[in-house]
Amino acid sequence: MQPPPQQQMQPPPQQQMQSAPAVQQAYALTQEDEYVLRSSANMQTRFCQSMPKKMAEDVGKRMNNLDERIRAGQVSRDVVGQLVNYCQALERNDVNTASSIQTALTASHWDEHRQWLVSFPIPLVVAGSDPCAASVEVDPGSCEEVFAVT
């Protein structure tokens, strides 16, 4: 009787995967992502004009953080959906709705997104003191047309 042939030991699948180089896939922006990026850039331009320089620079840095996180796919669909509603509310000069959304985002997502959420009350203050300030210019493909949000 012959002994069974020697089997080579294969590392478990987890170990095989760990040794392979990590390839990071690029995040494909959704229409909602693009709308939020475009709208927040427009709001930043509009609102920062009436802010003291240091405050405007701080808001700019924080909005850049939001931009980077959205582009990296690090903002959940739920948060992006709330940001779409926030931007729409400011476009309509509906400060009360925008404020409610900002409060909900802060309460639910502060730990994860505080870096950029801290700047979100500023447009509300500016819009509340100057109704024309909230009239944000966006492309003809505005959110209502693209997403048919009710």
Side-chain angles (χ1 to χ4, degrees):
M1 181 167 212
Q2 292 183 358
Q6 288 282 59
Q7 292 182 350
Q8 285 188 316
M9 297 280 300
Q10 291 284 332
Q14 298 112 339
Q15 290 177 353
Q16 288 177 347
M17 290 173 56
Q18 289 174 354
S19 62
V23 177
Q24 196 164 26
Q25 303 237 347
Y27 175 74
L29 293 175
T30 65
Q31 287 182 323
E32 291 90 351
D33 294 332
E34 291 173 358
Y35 170 76
V36 169
L37 293 172
R38 184 175 59 246
S39 184
S40 63
N42 289 339
M43 281 188 282
Q44 180 182 347
T45 300
R46 175 67 60 100
F47 294 128
C48 286
Q49 292 176 359
S50 60
M51 294 178 195
K53 183 180 178 182
K54 195 150 186 93
M55 182 186 286
E57 289 172 355
D58 183 57
V59 169
K61 287 177 189 174
R62 293 176 186 284
M63 297 314 320
N64 284 338
N65 179 269
L66 172 61
D67 184 280
E68 290 169 5
R69 293 192 61 143
I70 287 176
R71 291 182 187 282
Q74 297 173 345
V75 180
S76 71
R77 297 290 90 217
D78 175 54
V79 172
V80 170
Q82 290 181 60
L83 291 173
V84 166
N85 293 334
Y86 175 85
C87 293
Q88 286 180 328
L90 284 177
E91 287 174 14
R92 293 188 312 267
N93 197 30
D94 184 351
V95 177
N96 291 331
T97 298
S99 180
S100 294
I101 294 166
Q102 182 267 327
T103 300
L105 278 168
T106 301
S108 301
H109 301 284
W110 179 255
D111 290 339
E112 184 180 4
H113 298 297
R114 72 176 147 259
Q115 184 65 30
W116 55 265
L117 271 173
V118 73
S119 66
F120 265 50
I122 295 169
L124 298 174
V125 171
V126 174
S129 63
D130 180 5
C132 296
S135 178
V136 178
E137 299 169 11
V138 292
D139 296 2
S142 182
C143 193
E144 282 88 13
E145 297 170 20
V146 175
F147 307 116
V149 176
T150 57

